[in-house]
Amino acid sequence: MVVRLVIGLTLTAVAFALAGRRVLTLYRLGASGQPVEPDRTRDVGTRLAAVVTEVFGQRKLLKWSGAGAAHFAVFWGFVILGATIVEGYGALFDRDFHIPLIGTMAWLGATEDVFIVAVLVGLVAFAAIRVRQSPERAGRRSRFFGSHTGAAWLVLFMIFNVMWTLLLCRGAQINTGHFPFEHGAFASQAVADLIEPAGRDANDVLEDVGLLGTLGVVLTFLVLVVHSKHLHIFLAPFNVALSRRPRGLGALLPVYSGGKPMDWEDPGEDDKIGRGTIEDFTWKGLLDFATCTECGRCQSQCPAWNTDKPLSPKLLIMTLRDHALAKAPYLLAASDEARAALPEADRAEAERPLVGGQDVNGVIDPDVLWSCVTCGACVEQCPVDIEHVDHIVDMRRYQVMMESAFPKEAGSMMRNLERKGDPWGRGKKARLEWAVGLPFEVKVLDGEVPDDIEYLYWVGCAGSLDDNAKKTSRAVAELLHEAQVGFAVLGREEGCTGDAARRMGNEMLFQELARQNVETLNAAFGERETKKIVVTCAHCFNALGNEYPQMGGHYEVVHHTELLAKLVEEGRLVPANEVDAAVTYHDPCYLGRHNRVFSPPRAILGSVPGVRLTEMPRNKERSFCCGAGGSRMWMEETIGTRINETRTDEALSTKPDLVTAACPYCIVMLTDGVATRKQEGKADESVRVTDVSEVLLRSIRRRADMADPAPAAEPEPASAEAAAAEPAPAETGSD
Ligand code: SF4
Ligand code: SF4
């Protein structure tokens, strides 16, 4: 007894000293990060609820059925089997120790055994998954590609060792008469039956070996965990609790400089915009990096990685973590003298630029940074709620605002925004071209929104200027008119929302554009209580609804699919004409993942007689980007394969007549993809790309038809030029 007590306590003291020293270093490193705004300690209830569902409920992990179930078993094994560690330490002091009150109850012994078995089964499943999906077998397509697979195997082996030593100890305890439970521990009893023939003395020894083995492996595991990616075991609950709520998508965070909100009207000389060094990241950023489990779920969903770009959200986070740890001696040194005295390798790491090519030994390659489409698939999948998009945009902000470094093609888009107020550089005079030829007058505001107008229709740059998107703008206007919804547009007063500039990292330009729009909108709405805006572009939808509140613009923003689905449900729009078509629907990232609008577009398609909807393999939360987000629409795609073509192939795999979407950016990218595949002879000439609103318009029973059963005449165009320029909406719907 004394020997095992001395060995057990000595092991504990050594392990806690080693782990404690590491934890202190990690804490000091995390505390050296910049402050986080908005304050992450608000909304305690929401945060605790997130910990319950994400960590204890394993919500995201369980979406990955096999691996999720295995992780659930091992996670809960860790929690429940904490009781056996208490029993183990108690047994160091008193062989007959049991947990007070409940420690001899059969259900506790049975529960402990159930979880020992569950963990063992979970380990077998993990091993099978790791073998089947090993980088050696699956290459770049393995979600473990680039992860520390050796360390992962070591941890699986250690958990296995904890389980068998625990069973050995418990079995021997039964045979020596020192087991706390008389009944229930079925697995321990099976081991006891196995080793019972060895005799009493041997079982005494096996009890000591099992007990010290269990505690020794657990303590070694503790030291290993704080020195490896398995740090997530301790950090995950904190990271989940302190992440953005309700989720890290939608709005981008405002810029802070020196811990204060950036004053864009009077920027100071010392203001630093974005993150240009690892120490510019907030403590939450550093916590994100340390919490990554290297599971690769983000990587497996990333459109950039899946089209052979150099960006993997997992590798990005791992690289930032490794750099932070490598730079820690420099960052935590007490003085300049102490820094100067550091080994050459530490000083060299400290001097590496955060973003830069191989020529300057940069930590993150510019091609990695500029490959991101900000689709949010990584954030959506991450089981520990890491906020990749925020970090990527923050690094872009520094590159654009502080270094003037960005892909040169994006320069003309930004110049157009600065000079003309739209990415195409068409200017205000073109803002109403989309409405030419409509068979009714579209009201253009020239003051405050009048009482008979319910919605301000935000047409957007693409909706006003891109030929395909103009068809959607017209279809939506026709449908609103048909449903007798009062709407008006801003016309020349509408400007770009600045979404592309913001995601590019040009926060200054976004601020200018957004401030102007907020002024215009606030003036238009005046004292109105309900400030309703309907919008067709998913990017405008996100900017107006989620980002403009950051600058004083508070509106009730609905996407056109939400409004149209409601009008159909209320019977104000009646889809009566059959549209005999096989249809698939692409979820725009900024409508679906970023804003959780999944059902309305499907409800619209479902309401149209004759439409046969087939989902693509990746849909809703797991939808694959079209390639246009994150300002990528305005940059060349020279590395790997094209994202829009990959998505187009997935759409074409459903054998559609119509590929539908609900965002003009997606329509542009998919139209381009389908055209390419037609040229290659890989798509049927009849396949069309269209917005869901145009499908609805084709089906709608017009009020004029209801009044007069004779077929409605084609609408009169406003002018001959308009007739030539603008095809009739109902026919263009499927284009
Ligand atoms: S936002 Fe999309 S493209 Fe960017 S890293 Fe995440 S998954 Fe990849
Ligand atoms: S960032 Fe999240 S999803 Fe990606 S590897 Fe790390 S833990 Fe897994």
Side-chain angles (χ1 to χ4, degrees):
M1 271 297 289
V2 176
V3 174
R4 83 180 192 184
L5 177 64
V6 170
I7 295 175
L9 292 183
T10 306
L11 284 175
T12 306
V14 171
F16 272 78
L18 291 173
R21 198 177 61 170
R22 175 72 170 178
V23 168
L24 189 63
T25 303
L26 293 172
Y27 176 77
R28 289 180 61 216
L29 181 59
S32 73
Q34 303 298 315
V36 177
E37 291 291 343
D39 184 359
R40 302 290 173 102
T41 54
R42 284 187 222 133
D43 307 325
V44 176
T46 314
R47 294 178 183 284
L48 288 178
V51 173
V52 169
T53 54
E54 304 293 335
V55 180
F56 293 102
Q58 307 262 291
R59 184 184 68 87
K60 287 187 180 176
L61 283 162
L62 284 172
K63 289 185 179 169
W64 295 65
S65 39
H71 199 277
F72 188 88
V74 174
F75 169 81
W76 275 102
F78 263 86
V79 175
I80 301 293
L81 296 178
T84 63
I85 304 304
V86 174
E87 288 164 356
Y89 270 102
L92 282 180
F93 294 91
D94 173 5
R95 249 180 126 175
D96 292 317
F97 173 83
H98 60 79
I99 294 171
L101 301 178
I102 57 168
T104 57
M105 294 183 180
W107 66 262
L108 180 60
T111 307
E112 288 172 352
D113 272 24
V114 164
F115 276 93
I116 292 173
V117 174
V119 169
L120 286 170
V121 172
L123 291 180
V124 172
F126 274 147
I129 291 167
R130 286 198 166 267
V131 168
R132 213 183 55 221
Q133 298 181 15
S134 74
E136 290 74 27
R137 286 181 125 194
R140 215 180 130 95
R141 293 290 169 262
S142 163
R143 69 181 165 95
F144 302 118
F145 185 95
S147 301
H148 293 97
T149 49
W153 279 111
L154 178 61
V155 165
L156 292 187
F157 181 60
M158 304 233 15
I159 299 174
F160 171 71
N161 284 334
V162 175
M163 294 304 127
W164 77 255
T165 52
L166 194 53
L167 277 176
L168 181 68
C169 174
R170 290 161 72 87
Q173 280 179 324
I174 291 173
N175 292 336
T176 58
H178 297 289
F179 193 50
F181 311 100
E182 276 188 33
H183 306 288
F186 62 95
S188 302
Q189 185 61 55
V191 175
D193 293 344
L194 205 66
I195 58 177
E196 201 264 334
R200 168 69 198 230
D201 288 349
N203 272 278
D204 278 336
V205 173
L206 289 176
E207 182 188 324
D208 288 345
V209 169
L211 177 62
L212 291 175
T214 303
L215 295 181
V217 180
V218 166
L219 290 167
T220 310
F221 190 61
L222 172 71
V223 177
L224 185 74
V225 159
V226 296
H227 285 83
S228 73
K229 64 128 180 165
H230 283 82
L231 202 53
H232 79 265
I233 293 170
F234 298 128
L235 295 184
F238 296 101
N239 206 53
V240 169
L242 296 166
S243 289
R244 286 169 60 189
R245 294 291 157 215
R247 61 192 175 278
L249 293 174
L252 286 175
L253 293 175
V255 172
Y256 280 73
S257 176
K260 290 191 293 251
M262 182 74 195
D263 182 352
W264 293 100
E265 291 182 33
D266 185 19
E269 288 272 300
D270 299 330
D271 278 327
K272 194 174 190 183
I273 301 165
R275 321 273 181 228
T277 60
I278 197 74
E279 56 267 36
D280 291 339
F281 284 92
T282 64
W283 59 257
K284 175 59 174 60
L286 296 172
L287 183 61
D288 270 0
F289 307 154
T291 309
C292 177
T293 71
E294 301 184 15
C295 69
R297 286 176 173 83
C298 55
Q299 178 175 286
S300 72
Q301 304 296 304
C302 174
W305 183 256
N306 278 290
T307 52
D308 299 327
K309 314 284 188 290
L311 166 65
S312 148
K314 174 186 77 178
L315 298 179
L316 178 94
I317 296 295
M318 285 169 62
T319 305
L320 290 169
R321 176 196 62 198
D322 293 348
H323 176 59
L325 289 172
K327 201 173 174 181
Y330 181 89
L331 295 175
L332 301 180
S335 62
D336 287 346
E337 290 74 38
R339 285 194 189 99
L342 287 171
E344 170 64 27
D346 287 348
R347 280 181 286 129
E349 184 70 29
E351 282 164 15
R352 293 177 72 192
L354 187 68
V355 177
Q358 287 179 351
D359 50 331
V360 291
N361 193 23
V363 177
I364 303 292
D365 192 281
D367 282 335
V368 168
L369 194 61
W370 295 109
S371 291
C372 180
V373 289
T374 68
C375 68
C378 46
V379 180
E380 175 75 35
Q381 288 302 327
C382 183
V384 291
D385 285 354
I386 288 170
E387 296 160 337
H388 315 68
V389 175
D390 288 348
H391 304 318
I392 289 169
V393 173
D394 274 337
M395 286 189 280
R396 285 184 174 185
R397 284 171 170 168
Y398 187 88
Q399 292 305 301
V400 174
M401 301 302 303
M402 308 301 289
E403 303 277 350
S404 287
F406 49 83
K408 63 178 185 318
E409 325 86 77
S412 61
M413 177 272 287
M414 291 197 281
R415 270 191 305 280
N416 285 336
L417 284 176
E418 282 165 12
R419 292 175 191 163
K420 299 284 189 174
D422 67 76
W424 283 269
R426 296 279 311 282
K428 288 181 177 298
K429 65 180 184 322
R431 282 270 169 193
L432 275 167
E433 280 176 5
W434 67 273
V436 173
L438 282 173
F440 54 87
E441 188 192 351
V442 172
K443 183 162 184 55
V444 183
L445 283 184
D446 60 355
E448 286 199 10
V449 180
D451 287 345
D452 62 332
I453 296 298
E454 188 179 0
Y455 285 93
L456 198 149
Y457 180 13
W458 186 274
V459 186
C461 298
S464 305
L465 307 168
D466 176 81
D467 283 344
N468 269 327
K470 282 196 269 190
K471 296 170 193 167
T472 306
S473 306
R474 294 161 62 90
V476 172
E478 286 205 60
L479 288 163
L480 295 180
H481 177 74
E482 204 57 41
Q484 296 181 295
V485 174
F487 71 93
V489 300
L490 285 169
R492 295 168 66 96
E493 297 309 308
E494 188 184 291
C496 177
T497 56
D499 161 86
R502 192 172 219 200
R503 270 133 196 97
M504 177 81 201
N506 194 337
E507 183 70 14
M508 174 80 96
L509 182 52
F510 167 76
Q511 292 287 329
E512 279 170 21
L513 295 165
R515 201 167 40 240
Q516 179 59 55
N517 284 328
V518 169
E519 272 174 27
T520 306
L521 286 165
N522 286 352
F525 283 119
E527 296 302 311
R528 244 176 121 118
E529 268 188 27
T530 50
K531 301 171 179 175
K532 294 186 184 176
I533 299 177
V534 59
V535 57
T536 56
C537 171
H539 299 265
C540 297
F541 176 58
N542 185 62
L544 290 164
N546 295 330
E547 300 192 326
Y548 279 24
Q550 293 171 2
M551 38 233 317
H554 299 275
Y555 318 112
E556 205 178 297
V557 185
V558 293
H559 191 253
H560 70 286
T561 55
E562 294 177 293
L563 180 54
L564 296 179
K566 183 165 156 268
L567 294 173
V568 170
E569 194 184 319
E570 290 171 351
R572 293 169 68 184
L573 289 174
V574 182
N577 305 326
E578 186 169 288
V579 178
D580 180 17
V583 175
T584 192
Y585 172 69
H586 162 81
D587 288 276
C589 302
Y590 276 86
L591 185 64
R593 243 186 324 261
H594 282 270
N595 285 291
R596 322 311 282 179
V597 178
F598 297 114
S599 304
R602 292 176 168 82
I604 291 172
L605 291 170
S607 72
V608 175
V611 161
R612 302 177 301 283
L613 178 66
T614 305
E615 294 283 1
M616 289 187 234
R618 289 177 285 198
N619 59 64
K620 299 178 187 159
E621 289 94 340
R622 288 202 185 182
S623 176
F624 193 82
C625 183
C626 70
S631 201
R632 288 289 328 173
M633 172 123 153
W634 312 101
M635 298 180 218
E636 296 295 334
E637 195 173 342
T638 53
I639 306 174
T641 51
R642 295 182 67 86
I643 295 175
N644 68 324
E645 291 174 9
T646 302
R647 186 56 166 168
T648 299
D649 289 341
E650 195 166 341
L652 293 175
S653 74
T654 67
K655 305 264 180 277
D657 302 310
L658 297 176
V659 177
T660 62
C663 170
Y665 279 43
C666 303
I667 301 278
V668 168
M669 300 307 273
L670 294 170
T671 302
D672 193 39
V674 168
T676 303
R677 290 297 180 252
K678 282 182 183 174
Q679 277 169 12
E680 295 167 349
K682 293 178 181 166
D684 199 286
E685 277 302 321
S686 62
V687 177
R688 295 282 179 270
V689 180
T690 186
D691 189 276
V692 291
S693 59
E694 296 170 62
V695 180
L696 178 62
L697 183 65
R698 286 166 65 179
S699 170
I700 225 67
R701 181 189 297 150
R702 310 272 180 153
R703 272 181 284 134
D705 295 348
M706 287 187 265
D708 174 6
E714 281 295 314
E716 274 294 305
S719 66
E721 297 90 318
E726 300 291 329
E731 289 183 2
T732 58
S734 62
D735 207 341

